[in-house]
Amino acid sequence: QTNVIYSYDLCQCLNESLYTKLVRIIPDKKDASMNDDDYDAIVLRFGWQQLVYKQKVLDDYERANNIEKKVKAVMLVACQDIAHAEQVTEWFRRYLGNKQSVLLVHSKMKDSEFLPSLQHIEDPLSPVRVVVNVAKLNEGWDVSNIYVITPLRAMASSTLVTQIMGRGLRLPYGTQTDNVEVD
């Protein structure tokens, strides 16, 4: 039995908007006539457009407020399985024309294959703009520059949704900025 003195759940945290980024969920339903690859491409392009927009907002905010700490917006893609993640990674690398911009992370990889890049993801000089993963970064990965989360898999439980959403909630400047798009 656990004695809980106070519980501050995600719902309350998001409603109060004090300690996390604001959440904007853009639901989408796959058209029955569309194959999975075409649907993924549409969702990934849209996610990338959102990331580019967020980066512009961050750059403008930093410039307008003389902020020296530069934040580089990153996109997190949650895939169905390893084969799907590898396919999405290759698609993104072709789309962006830059292999180093996309980091693949999954359970069959050795830590040395992704950990050095993952550890420096918040560094503005890191080339990584997109992290493609399969059930590897659900908990215990605390970074503040995830601005777009693109789930390309069904979220099997509310716990999984909370964990994946949690990857993008941390505030990059440590506090709310009163700029809706930055927050």
Side-chain angles (χ1 to χ4, degrees):
Q1 181 179 11
T2 305
N3 294 324
V4 177
I5 296 172
Y6 180 74
S7 176
Y8 190 71
D9 65 11
L10 181 60
C11 184
Q12 182 180 352
C13 183
L14 292 173
N15 284 334
E16 290 179 359
S17 299
L18 298 173
Y19 308 108
T20 63
K21 292 179 193 139
L22 303 173
V23 174
R24 183 178 300 142
I25 297 174
I26 303 170
D28 191 22
K29 187 174 181 182
K30 181 179 159 191
D31 185 305
S33 66
M34 193 178 302
N35 70 38
D36 290 344
D37 293 341
D38 290 342
Y39 178 76
D40 284 357
I42 289 169
V43 172
L44 293 169
R45 277 194 294 271
F46 180 77
W48 180 255
Q49 291 167 351
Q50 293 300 303
L51 188 72
V52 168
Y53 170 71
K54 286 295 183 178
Q55 188 62 59
K56 181 187 178 318
V57 168
L58 288 165
D59 293 343
D60 291 348
Y61 175 79
E62 291 164 356
R63 204 171 14 263
N65 293 284
N66 295 316
I67 295 175
E68 289 186 31
K69 177 187 177 187
K70 301 297 177 200
V71 173
K72 180 193 58 164
V74 172
M75 178 176 176
L76 176 64
V77 181
C79 293
Q80 298 169 13
D81 54 37
I82 292 172
H84 185 229
E86 289 171 344
Q87 179 183 353
V88 166
T89 299
E90 286 310 309
W91 182 92
F92 242 126
R93 288 176 174 166
R94 283 191 312 276
Y95 182 73
L96 299 177
N98 183 342
K99 186 176 179 176
Q100 293 180 318
S101 293
V102 185
L103 178 63
L104 175 63
V105 178
H106 61 69
S107 60
K108 300 276 189 216
M109 296 174 72
K110 296 176 186 163
D111 286 352
S112 62
E113 294 178 81
F114 64 85
L115 205 50
S117 295
L118 205 56
Q119 288 173 326
H120 298 287
I121 200 96
E122 291 178 299
D123 183 340
L125 299 177
S126 168
V128 177
R129 298 299 310 274
V130 178
V131 177
V132 178
N133 99 97
V134 182
K136 183 76 174 169
L137 303 174
N138 295 345
E139 55 186 56
W141 184 48
D142 298 327
V143 296
S144 62
N145 60 332
I146 299 296
Y147 266 89
V148 175
I149 298 174
T150 307
L152 294 178
R153 59 176 286 197
M155 297 295 129
S157 69
S158 61
T159 300
L160 182 58
V161 170
T162 300
Q163 289 173 338
I164 290 176
M165 185 187 305
R167 301 310 103 211
L169 293 177
R170 287 159 183 81
L171 297 166
Y173 303 105
T175 184
Q176 293 280 339
T177 66
D178 293 327
N179 179 315
V180 174
E181 293 300 323
V182 170
D183 292 338

